[in-house]
Amino acid sequence: PGKEGQTVQGFSDTIDLGHFGTLKTSTKIILRLELLSGQENLNPEASIYLRGVSFDNYSGNGWSKSESKSYPLLEYSRDGYLTIPDKLNPEVTNDNEFEYNIYQEPLHNETPVVFAATKLLGIKSHNRRSSRRRQKQTKFFIDDMNDLTHDQGENKPLDYTVRSALINHGAINLDPVRKEYSPYFKERYTQLPLELDERITTLAKEYSYAAQNPYALALSIANSLNKDYSYTTEGVGQLADPISNFLFERGRGHCEYFATAMVLMMRTLGIPARPVNGFLGSQYNSYGDYYIVTEANA
């Protein structure tokens, strides 16, 4: 919370679409990112997306995450990294590896989130900054939604090194992306509220007209939303159906409205989809030679 009539914009492990007043951009530092290798292949100030937590269940006015079983990451033979299981990290060609340190401030969320740029290849922890005593090594976990967590609690800082692959989507042929999904996977990621505005399904069909595969369909919906709707930090309060209000009445909203609208439209067409919270972009600090990620980047 900020001043009266303001809500501070920042990372959260929940998505609640209704709010009063205006979102206030916060400059509070959440992460410091220090590039170790591969920086010639990316633009950290604009393009690095640090993935946080994903959601699968939509209630009609917000998102929650179903209970998921977590598995500990095991040590990989290369440089002491903990590896990401291949079944959760399918191979994508035409990518470049880059390596970076993350210094993460306490988030004070219920979920002990770990942030990393996609696609994540490996992770390892540092020694603690704030303690002179020897402390236990941080353990990292991954769940069946591909979200990373740790065992140190959200009220402590967290330092770790990550190895990721930078995917050049423009150079990848995504036309043959599979259209068949397991029953469990499809049921989980096409869940919709019992009473969904039928106009959302109609609009989804309009926006995805002539799309020949899931990727083209997603791209068509995203481009249409960006063209037909505008961004605002102003809230409209608690509504019974905030997405219908966004799509068919107001025509303006912030990032969670755009993401939710896209996911719902994908799901009405039978394509598994979900929203993910994280951070995009950073500001370079020349004195420390690192990049600052603030709440405003959420």
Side-chain angles (χ1 to χ4, degrees):
K3 296 179 181 178
E4 185 176 354
Q6 293 179 327
T7 301
V8 175
Q9 181 181 8
F11 175 82
S12 174
D13 54 5
T14 61
I15 295 180
D16 296 310
L17 292 172
H19 72 88
F20 295 90
T22 304
L23 287 176
K24 176 186 176 184
T25 300
S26 170
T27 58
K28 178 183 177 182
I29 295 175
I30 300 296
L31 305 169
R32 292 171 177 83
L33 188 148
E34 180 182 35
L35 292 171
L36 303 176
S37 66
Q39 52 263 51
E40 65 277 3
N41 299 316
L42 49 89
N43 177 6
E45 293 182 278
S47 62
I48 288 187
Y49 168 58
L50 296 172
R51 184 191 187 283
V53 60
S54 60
F55 307 91
D56 59 341
N57 187 68
Y58 184 65
S59 65
N61 51 33
W63 290 91
S64 61
K65 175 172 177 164
S66 301
E67 187 174 341
S68 301
K69 185 175 181 180
S70 295
Y71 306 88
L73 295 181
L74 303 178
E75 186 168 343
Y76 186 42
S77 59
R78 184 161 60 141
D79 305 332
Y81 275 89
L82 305 176
T83 187
I84 307 303
D86 288 339
K87 65 179 181 179
L88 296 176
N89 193 22
E91 288 299 319
V92 178
T93 57
N94 195 41
D95 48 26
N96 296 291
E97 288 190 13
F98 64 107
E99 197 172 27
Y100 49 100
N101 291 329
I102 284 185
Y103 306 95
Q104 180 175 311
E105 298 300 329
L107 294 175
H108 305 291
N109 290 317
E110 291 186 10
T111 307
V113 182
V114 173
F115 296 92
T118 54
K119 115 182 166 185
L120 176 63
L121 301 176
I123 186 171
K124 59 183 177 181
S125 66
H126 296 175
N127 294 324
R128 280 310 180 84
R129 299 174 255 166
S130 57
S131 176
R132 297 178 180 177
R133 297 180 298 169
R134 182 178 179 84
Q135 297 207 4
K136 66 177 182 178
Q137 189 83 353
T138 302
K139 292 182 180 179
F140 295 101
F141 304 87
I142 193 166
D143 64 20
D144 55 7
M145 293 179 66
N146 220 22
D147 294 345
L148 284 179
T149 54
H150 60 87
D151 66 344
Q152 298 299 321
E154 281 300 300
N155 60 344
K156 297 179 182 178
L158 189 70
D159 303 345
Y160 48 98
T161 301
V162 185
R163 179 178 285 139
S164 292
L166 186 68
I167 302 173
N168 182 359
H169 293 91
I172 299 173
N173 178 17
L174 290 168
D175 289 343
V177 170
R178 66 178 183 175
K179 300 180 182 179
E180 301 299 324
Y181 309 96
S182 69
Y184 169 77
F185 188 89
K186 188 165 184 176
E187 180 182 2
R188 184 170 194 174
Y189 297 115
T190 58
Q191 173 270 335
L192 292 167
L194 292 178
E195 296 182 2
L196 183 72
D197 192 328
E198 293 181 357
R199 293 177 297 174
I200 295 177
T201 304
T202 302
L203 187 62
K205 293 177 180 178
E206 177 186 329
Y207 279 172
S208 61
Y209 176 73
Q212 299 298 314
N213 58 71
Y215 178 70
L217 185 148
L219 196 61
S220 178
I221 291 176
N223 290 340
S224 298
L225 285 169
N226 283 326
K227 177 173 67 72
D228 294 346
Y229 298 88
S230 58
Y231 183 88
T232 181
T233 58
E234 296 177 1
V236 293
Q238 300 292 337
L239 296 173
D241 193 341
I243 292 303
S244 289
N245 176 266
F246 165 65
L247 290 174
F248 307 113
E249 296 176 36
R250 194 168 185 230
R252 297 183 299 155
H254 54 72
C255 56
E256 291 176 341
Y257 285 85
F258 281 85
T260 298
M262 178 172 177
V263 170
L264 293 183
M265 283 193 273
M266 294 282 288
R267 289 186 173 193
T268 65
L269 300 174
I271 305 298
R274 62 183 178 178
V276 185
N277 272 1
F279 294 95
L280 176 64
S282 60
Q283 299 86 47
Y284 182 63
N285 183 306
S286 59
Y287 295 100
D289 192 24
Y290 55 77
Y291 294 86
I292 294 171
V293 178
T294 70
E295 283 193 340
N297 295 110

